[in-house]
Amino acid sequence: MTILIDDPIWPAHGRLWAHVVSDSSLEELHAFAHATGLPRRAFDLDHYDAPEDALPRLLAAGAVHVGGKELTRRLIASGLRVPARDRRR
């Protein structure tokens, strides 16, 4: 069970954002987010969005930094990935 975080390359609201995922369970992901101060509103079906300035805190708490392709590959392998076609926006 691992929490993964990718590079903060996604611009929104005047900041850069990273994705935080679990490679095993949403329960693990929610517990990690709660313990590290990520608000529930940052959850987007299969990941949390985290601002760039939160990365040091998340890494210190045990998140593992991976590239975006590796994060996506492991999220798909976990069975937790929600495909774009299934997202309502």
Side-chain angles (χ1 to χ4, degrees), residues 16 29 48-49 60-61:
L16 293 176
L29 179 60
Y48 277 82
D49 294 318

Side-chain angles (χ1 to χ4, degrees), residues 1-4 21-25 28 62-64 74:
M1 297 185 345
T2 304
I3 298 294
L4 308 167
V21 305
S22 169
D23 69 354
S24 62
S25 77
E28 176 188 36
V64 175
R74 291 181 58 184

Side-chain angles (χ1 to χ4, degrees), residues 12-87:
H13 312 291
R15 301 166 88 174
L16 293 176
W17 298 79
H19 298 115
V20 181
V21 305
S22 169
D23 69 354
S24 62
S25 77
L26 291 179
E27 291 79 16
E28 176 188 36
L29 179 60
H30 291 309
F32 181 84
H34 178 75
T36 57
L38 291 177
R40 185 65 180 216
R41 69 181 179 275
F43 181 66
D44 187 14
L45 301 177
D46 59 9
H47 70 277
Y48 277 82
D49 294 318
E52 181 176 28
D53 61 354
L55 264 64
R57 177 178 85 241
L58 301 173
L59 293 169
V64 175
H65 178 258
V66 296
K69 289 181 181 182
E70 177 67 9
L71 181 136
T72 302
R73 185 186 68 75
R74 291 181 58 184
L75 184 60
I76 291 168
S78 75
L80 299 174
R81 175 74 171 143
V82 176
R85 69 179 177 272
D86 295 338
R87 294 177 181 271

